[in-house]
Amino acid sequence: MAKVYLTGAGPGDLELMTVKALRVVREADVIIYDRLANPDILQEAKSGCEFVYVGKEDGRHIMPQDDINEAIYQNALKYETVVRLKGGDPFVFGRGGEEAAYLYERGVKFEIIPGITSAISAPAYAGIPVTHRGVAVSFRVVTAHESPNKKESQIPWENFKTDDTIVFLMGLHNLPKITKKLIEIGKNKDYPCAVISKGTTKDQLVVVGTLENIVEKAEGVPTPALIIVGKVVELREQLKWFEGHA
Ligand code: SAH
């Protein structure tokens, strides 16, 4: 009987893939993958492995999620070992839960292989710890991708008044709105934030600024990128280690 492995590919650096993910990629009969999963991983597949691209870009679905669910299911009818490879972690804004539920409803066996999410690893490679004693006791990971049709924001802005770290995924195009909102709820204009583009890869780019100037400073930064807001950003000055070493 077929099994589908809903697999986190990690954030970009190939070595940030788990041993388990690598094992199933090597065993796979078919790999169904996204743009965010590093395509070099596919070179690890055995010969004869099929590749199915179901590209997603920054939350914009080239293929609707229903079709992706169905494609995974159809492949499970055809092949024994199906790997659904997703960027970062499959359950962190990866819609892995929906895919697993679709398979459950159809009696297909599945396993979840967690991955290292970009939400913590891109900051780590930028020298920004998401928590730090005396600076931030917690961190939140928030989707900043909202349907343009929605008039009311779904994001609980009022909860962001504390100094806890906030990581916004899928939010680069909403950066002006995010910074404006955070200032509106009472954060200082010179509150630290950063944009991290292509984190953990050799093209990693980090722009550090304040709520007031980050929009201007981060103009034209390529995706995928995340936004990190919090005093922990200031630690980068001492802790940045990666750029220049990649
Ligand atoms: N499941 C993924 C997130 C999917 S949402 C994970 O756990 O990482 C896609 C968003 O993730 C992008 O819009 C971007 O905000 C962020 N992202 C993914 N890879 C990234 C990277 N290498 N550097 C910076 N941000 C990244």
Side-chain angles (χ1 to χ4, degrees):
M1 181 151 175
K3 193 180 249 186
V4 177
Y5 295 89
L6 296 167
T7 307
D13 180 344
L14 272 183
E15 290 186 315
L16 292 183
M17 191 178 181
T18 65
V19 174
K20 194 167 190 177
L22 186 57
R23 173 172 66 77
V24 297
V25 161
R26 288 178 173 157
E27 289 171 5
D29 300 313
V30 57
I31 299 177
I32 304 165
Y33 68 103
D34 279 351
R35 185 190 73 124
L36 282 178
N38 185 334
D40 291 347
I41 291 170
L42 303 180
Q43 290 172 13
E44 293 289 335
K46 68 184 181 191
S47 72
C49 176
E50 290 290 322
F51 299 116
V52 180
Y53 177 69
V54 289
K56 267 185 186 177
E57 270 183 48
D58 261 338
R60 282 188 312 255
H61 297 230
I62 291 158
M63 189 189 262
Q65 187 64 44
D66 288 348
D67 294 356
I68 296 176
N69 294 347
E70 184 60 20
I72 298 168
Y73 174 58
Q74 288 302 328
N75 277 286
L77 299 178
K78 260 171 64 188
Y79 298 102
E80 274 296 292
T81 305
V82 179
V83 169
R84 167 68 173 118
L85 195 63
K86 303 167 85 74
D89 179 87
F91 281 180
V92 178
F93 302 120
R95 305 190 73 166
E98 289 163 64
E99 295 175 3
Y102 195 88
L103 297 171
Y104 169 79
E105 283 159 15
R106 284 154 189 80
V108 176
K109 279 198 188 163
F110 60 86
E111 273 188 35
I112 312 296
I113 304 181
I116 296 185
T117 178
S118 62
I120 58 167
S121 56
Y125 271 50
I128 304 171
V130 289
T131 68
H132 193 78
R133 199 174 159 84
V135 181
V137 293
S138 80
F139 66 97
R140 298 165 179 273
V141 182
V142 181
T143 168
H145 170 75
E146 291 189 330
S147 158
N149 318 333
K150 275 206 189 103
K151 284 209 182 71
E152 290 302 319
S153 173
Q154 299 285 101
I155 301 173
W157 295 101
E158 289 300 313
N159 294 347
F160 298 164
K161 287 183 172 168
T162 64
D163 276 329
D164 301 320
T165 307
I166 320 167
V167 176
F168 291 98
L169 299 186
M170 297 178 279
L172 198 59
H173 61 291
N174 278 331
L175 186 58
K177 193 173 123 191
I178 291 167
T179 51
K180 186 167 162 267
K181 270 280 188 187
L182 291 173
I183 292 169
E184 262 172 37
I185 62 157
K187 285 205 191 289
N188 225 303
K189 284 185 177 156
D190 54 22
Y191 202 77
C193 56
V195 169
I196 307 170
S197 162
K198 302 193 178 188
T200 81
T201 74
K202 62 174 177 25
D203 300 322
Q204 171 170 304
L205 178 67
V206 183
V207 180
V208 174
T210 63
L211 289 177
E212 194 173 33
N213 67 21
I214 193 75
V215 171
E216 200 185 323
K217 281 181 135 181
E219 211 184 303
V221 162
T223 59
L226 58 76
I227 304 153
I228 180 163
V229 178
K231 292 187 172 163
V232 286
V233 170
E234 289 170 343
L235 293 160
R236 170 174 157 80
E237 208 137 299
Q238 288 169 23
L239 303 187
K240 71 172 167 204
W241 60 273
F242 177 66
E243 287 119 77
H245 294 93

